[in-house]
Coordinates of all heavy atoms in Angstrom, one line a residue:
V1250 N 31.4 19.1 79.2 CA 31.0 17.7 78.8 C 29.4 17.6 78.8 O 28.9 16.6 78.6 CB 31.5 16.7 79.9 CG1 33.0 16.6 79.9 CG2 31.0 17.1 81.3
L1251 N 28.8 18.8 78.8 CA 27.3 18.8 78.8 C 26.8 18.1 77.5 O 25.8 17.3 77.5 CB 26.7 20.2 79.0 CG 25.2 20.3 79.0 CD1 24.6 19.3 80.1 CD2 24.8 21.7 79.3
A1252 N 27.4 18.5 76.4 CA 26.9 17.9 75.1 C 27.1 16.4 75.1 O 26.2 15.7 74.6 CB 27.7 18.5 73.9
L1253 N 28.2 15.9 75.7 CA 28.4 14.5 75.8 C 27.4 13.8 76.7 O 26.9 12.7 76.5 CB 29.8 14.2 76.3 CG 30.9 14.0 75.2 CD1 32.2 13.7 75.9 CD2 30.5 12.9 74.2
R1254 N 27.1 14.5 77.9 CA 26.2 14.0 78.8 C 24.8 13.8 78.1 O 24.1 12.8 78.3 CB 26.0 14.9 80.0 CG 27.1 14.8 81.0 CD 26.8 15.7 82.2 NE 27.9 15.7 83.2 CZ 28.0 14.9 84.2 NH1 27.1 13.9 84.3 NH2 28.9 14.9 85.1
Q1255 N 24.4 14.8 77.3 CA 23.1 14.7 76.7 C 23.1 13.6 75.6 O 22.1 13.0 75.4 CB 22.8 16.1 76.0 CG 22.5 17.2 77.1 CD 22.3 18.5 76.4 OE1 22.7 18.8 75.3 NE2 21.6 19.4 77.1
A1256 N 24.2 13.4 74.9 CA 24.3 12.4 73.9 C 24.1 11.0 74.5 O 23.6 10.1 73.8 CB 25.6 12.5 73.1
I1257 N 24.7 10.8 75.7 CA 24.7 9.4 76.2 C 23.4 9.2 77.1 O 23.2 8.1 77.5 CB 25.9 9.1 77.0 CG1 26.0 10.0 78.3 CG2 27.2 9.3 76.2 CD1 27.1 9.7 79.2
S1258 N 22.7 10.2 77.4 CA 21.5 10.1 78.3 C 20.4 9.3 77.6 O 20.1 9.5 76.5 CB 21.0 11.5 78.6 OG 19.8 11.3 79.3
P1259 N 19.9 8.3 78.4 CA 18.7 7.5 77.8 C 17.6 8.4 77.5 O 16.7 8.0 76.6 CB 18.4 6.6 79.0 CG 19.7 6.4 79.8 CD 20.3 7.8 79.7
V1260 N 17.5 9.6 78.1 CA 16.3 10.5 77.8 C 16.4 10.9 76.4 O 15.3 11.2 75.8 CB 16.4 11.7 78.8 CG1 15.3 12.7 78.4 CG2 16.3 11.3 80.2
A1261 N 17.6 11.0 75.8 CA 17.7 11.5 74.4 C 17.0 10.6 73.5 O 16.5 11.0 72.4 CB 19.2 11.5 74.0
D1262 N 16.8 9.3 73.8 CA 16.1 8.4 72.9 C 14.6 8.6 72.9 O 13.9 8.1 72.0 CB 16.4 6.9 73.4 CG 17.9 6.5 73.2 OD1 18.6 7.2 72.4 OD2 18.3 5.6 73.8
L1263 N 14.1 9.3 74.0 CA 12.7 9.5 74.1 C 12.3 10.8 73.4 O 11.1 11.0 73.2 CB 12.3 9.6 75.6 CG 12.7 8.4 76.4 CD1 12.2 8.7 77.9 CD2 12.0 7.1 75.9
L1264 N 13.2 11.6 73.0 CA 12.9 12.9 72.3 C 12.6 12.6 70.8 O 13.2 11.7 70.2 CB 14.1 13.9 72.5 CG 14.4 14.2 73.9 CD1 15.6 15.2 73.9 CD2 13.2 14.8 74.6
G1265 N 11.8 13.4 70.2 CA 11.5 13.3 68.8 C 12.8 13.6 68.0 O 13.6 14.4 68.3
Q1266 N 12.9 12.8 66.9 CA 14.0 13.0 66.0 C 13.8 14.1 65.0 O 12.7 14.3 64.4 CB 14.3 11.7 65.2 CG 14.6 10.5 66.1 CD 15.9 10.7 66.9 OE1 16.8 11.2 66.3 NE2 15.8 10.3 68.1
E1267 N 14.8 14.9 64.7 CA 14.7 16.0 63.8 C 14.6 15.4 62.4 O 15.2 14.4 62.0 CB 16.0 16.9 63.9 CG 16.0 18.0 62.9 CD 17.3 18.8 62.9 OE1 18.2 18.4 63.8 OE2 17.5 19.7 62.1
S1268 N 13.7 16.1 61.5 CA 13.6 15.7 60.2 C 14.9 15.8 59.5 O 15.6 16.8 59.6 CB 12.6 16.5 59.4 OG 12.5 16.2 58.1
D1269 N 15.4 14.7 58.8 CA 16.7 14.7 58.3 C 16.7 14.5 56.7 O 16.2 13.5 56.2 CB 17.4 13.5 58.9 CG 19.0 13.6 58.7 OD1 19.4 14.2 57.8 OD2 19.7 12.9 59.5
P1270 N 17.3 15.5 56.0 CA 17.3 15.5 54.6 C 18.4 14.5 54.0 O 18.4 14.2 52.8 CB 17.6 16.9 54.1 CG 18.4 17.4 55.3 CD 17.8 16.8 56.5
E1271 N 19.3 14.1 54.9 CA 20.4 13.3 54.4 C 20.0 11.8 54.5 O 19.2 11.4 55.4 CB 21.6 13.5 55.3 CG 22.2 14.9 55.2 CD 23.4 15.1 56.0 OE1 24.5 14.5 55.5 OE2 23.4 15.7 57.1
D1272 N 20.6 11.0 53.7 CA 20.4 9.6 53.8 C 21.2 9.1 55.0 O 22.1 9.7 55.5 CB 21.0 8.9 52.6 CG 20.2 9.1 51.3 OD1 19.0 9.4 51.4 OD2 20.8 9.1 50.2
P1273 N 20.7 8.0 55.6 CA 21.5 7.4 56.8 C 22.9 7.1 56.4 O 23.2 6.8 55.3 CB 20.7 6.2 57.1 CG 19.4 6.3 56.5 CD 19.6 7.2 55.3
P1274 N 23.8 7.3 57.4 CA 25.2 7.0 57.1 C 25.4 5.5 56.8 O 24.7 4.7 57.4 CB 26.0 7.4 58.3 CG 24.9 7.3 59.4 CD 23.6 7.7 58.8
T1275 N 26.3 5.2 55.9 CA 26.6 3.8 55.6 C 27.4 3.2 56.7 O 28.0 4.0 57.5 CB 27.3 3.7 54.3 OG1 28.6 4.3 54.4 CG2 26.5 4.3 53.1
I1276 N 27.5 1.9 56.7 CA 28.4 1.3 57.8 C 29.8 1.8 57.6 O 30.5 2.0 58.5 CB 28.3 -0.2 57.7 CG1 26.9 -0.7 58.0 CG2 29.3 -0.9 58.7 CD1 26.3 -0.3 59.3
A1277 N 30.3 1.9 56.3 CA 31.7 2.3 56.1 C 31.9 3.7 56.6 O 32.9 4.0 57.1 CB 32.0 2.2 54.6
Q1278 N 30.9 4.6 56.4 CA 31.0 6.0 56.8 C 31.0 6.0 58.4 O 31.8 6.8 59.0 CB 29.8 6.8 56.3 CG 29.9 7.1 54.8 CD 28.7 7.8 54.3 OE1 27.6 7.6 54.8 NE2 28.8 8.6 53.3
L1279 N 30.2 5.2 59.0 CA 30.2 5.2 60.5 C 31.5 4.7 61.0 O 32.1 5.3 62.0 CB 29.1 4.2 61.0 CG 27.6 4.7 60.9 CD1 26.7 3.6 61.3 CD2 27.4 6.0 61.7
R1280 N 32.1 3.7 60.4 CA 33.4 3.2 60.9 C 34.5 4.2 60.7 O 35.4 4.4 61.5 CB 33.7 1.9 60.2 CG 32.9 0.7 60.7 CD 33.1 -0.6 59.9 NE 32.4 -1.7 60.5 CZ 32.2 -2.8 59.9 NH1 32.5 -3.0 58.7 NH2 31.5 -3.8 60.6
A1281 N 34.5 4.9 59.5 CA 35.5 5.9 59.2 C 35.4 7.1 60.2 O 36.4 7.6 60.7 CB 35.3 6.4 57.8
S1282 N 34.1 7.5 60.6 CA 33.9 8.5 61.5 C 34.4 8.1 62.9 O 35.0 8.9 63.7 CB 32.4 8.9 61.6 OG 32.0 9.5 60.4
L1283 N 34.2 6.8 63.3 CA 34.6 6.3 64.5 C 36.2 6.3 64.6 O 36.7 6.7 65.6 CB 34.1 4.9 64.7 CG 34.6 4.2 66.0 CD1 34.0 4.9 67.2 CD2 34.1 2.7 66.0
R1284 N 36.8 5.9 63.5 CA 38.3 5.9 63.5 C 38.9 7.3 63.7 O 39.8 7.5 64.4 CB 38.8 5.3 62.2 CG 38.6 3.7 62.2 CD 39.5 3.2 61.0 NE 39.0 3.7 59.7 CZ 38.1 3.1 59.0 NH1 37.5 2.0 59.4 NH2 37.8 3.6 57.8
S1285 N 38.3 8.3 63.0 CA 38.8 9.6 63.1 C 38.6 10.2 64.4 O 39.4 11.0 65.0 CB 38.1 10.5 62.0 OG 36.7 10.7 62.2
T1286 N 37.4 9.9 65.0 CA 37.1 10.4 66.4 C 38.1 9.8 67.4 O 38.6 10.5 68.3 CB 35.7 10.2 66.8 OG1 34.8 10.7 65.7 CG2 35.3 10.8 68.1
E1287 N 38.3 8.5 67.3 CA 39.2 7.9 68.2 C 40.6 8.4 68.1 O 41.4 8.6 69.1 CB 39.2 6.3 68.0 CG 40.2 5.6 68.8 CD 40.0 5.7 70.3 OE1 39.0 6.2 70.8 OE2 41.0 5.4 71.1
H1288 N 41.0 8.7 66.9 CA 42.4 9.3 66.6 C 42.5 10.7 67.3 O 43.5 10.9 68.0 CB 42.6 9.5 65.1 CG 43.9 10.1 64.8 ND1 45.1 9.5 64.9 CD2 44.1 11.4 64.3 CE1 46.1 10.4 64.5 NE2 45.5 11.5 64.2
I1289 N 41.4 11.5 67.2 CA 41.4 12.8 67.9 C 41.5 12.6 69.4 O 42.3 13.3 70.1 CB 40.2 13.6 67.5 CG1 40.3 14.0 66.0 CG2 40.0 14.8 68.4 CD1 39.0 14.6 65.5
R1290 N 40.8 11.6 69.9 CA 40.8 11.4 71.4 C 42.2 11.0 71.8 O 42.7 11.5 72.9 CB 39.8 10.3 71.8 CG 39.7 10.2 73.3 CD 39.1 8.8 73.7 NE 39.9 7.7 73.3 CZ 41.0 7.3 74.0 NH1 41.4 8.0 75.1 NH2 41.7 6.3 73.6
R1291 N 42.9 10.1 71.1 CA 44.2 9.6 71.5 C 45.2 10.8 71.5 O 46.2 10.8 72.2 CB 44.7 8.5 70.5 CG 44.0 7.2 70.8 CD 44.8 6.0 70.1 NE 44.9 6.2 68.7 CZ 44.1 5.8 67.8 NH1 43.0 5.1 68.2 NH2 44.3 6.0 66.5
E1292 N 45.0 11.8 70.6 CA 45.9 12.9 70.6 C 45.6 13.9 71.7 O 46.3 14.9 71.8 CB 45.8 13.6 69.2 CG 46.4 12.8 68.0 CD 46.4 13.6 66.7 OE1 45.7 14.6 66.6 OE2 47.1 13.2 65.8
G1293 N 44.6 13.7 72.5 CA 44.2 14.5 73.6 C 43.5 15.8 73.2 O 43.5 16.7 74.0
R1294 N 42.9 15.8 72.1 CA 42.2 17.0 71.6 C 40.8 17.0 72.1 O 39.8 16.8 71.4 CB 42.2 17.1 70.1 CG 43.6 17.4 69.6 CD 43.9 16.8 68.2 NE 43.1 17.3 67.2 CZ 43.1 16.7 65.9 NH1 43.9 15.8 65.6 NH2 42.3 17.2 65.0
M1295 N 40.6 17.2 73.5 CA 39.3 16.9 74.1 C 38.3 17.9 73.7 O 37.1 17.6 73.6 CB 39.5 17.0 75.7 CG 40.4 15.9 76.2 SD 39.7 14.3 75.9 CE 40.8 13.3 76.9
G1296 N 38.7 19.2 73.4 CA 37.7 20.1 73.0 C 37.0 19.7 71.7 O 35.8 19.8 71.5
E1297 N 37.8 19.1 70.8 CA 37.2 18.6 69.5 C 36.3 17.4 69.7 O 35.3 17.2 69.1 CB 38.3 18.3 68.5 CG 39.1 19.5 68.0 CD 40.1 19.1 67.0 OE1 39.8 18.4 66.0 OE2 41.3 19.6 67.2

């Protein structure tokens, strides 16, 4: 769970952001990603 701990840590917000060649995700893309991730969690695929 270390990767998750780092993702939710407030310290992560203080670190510099990596230069990103991609456009920001759209709201529709964010919601689709959220749905797919929640589906994986409900199936108990914790490693993923």
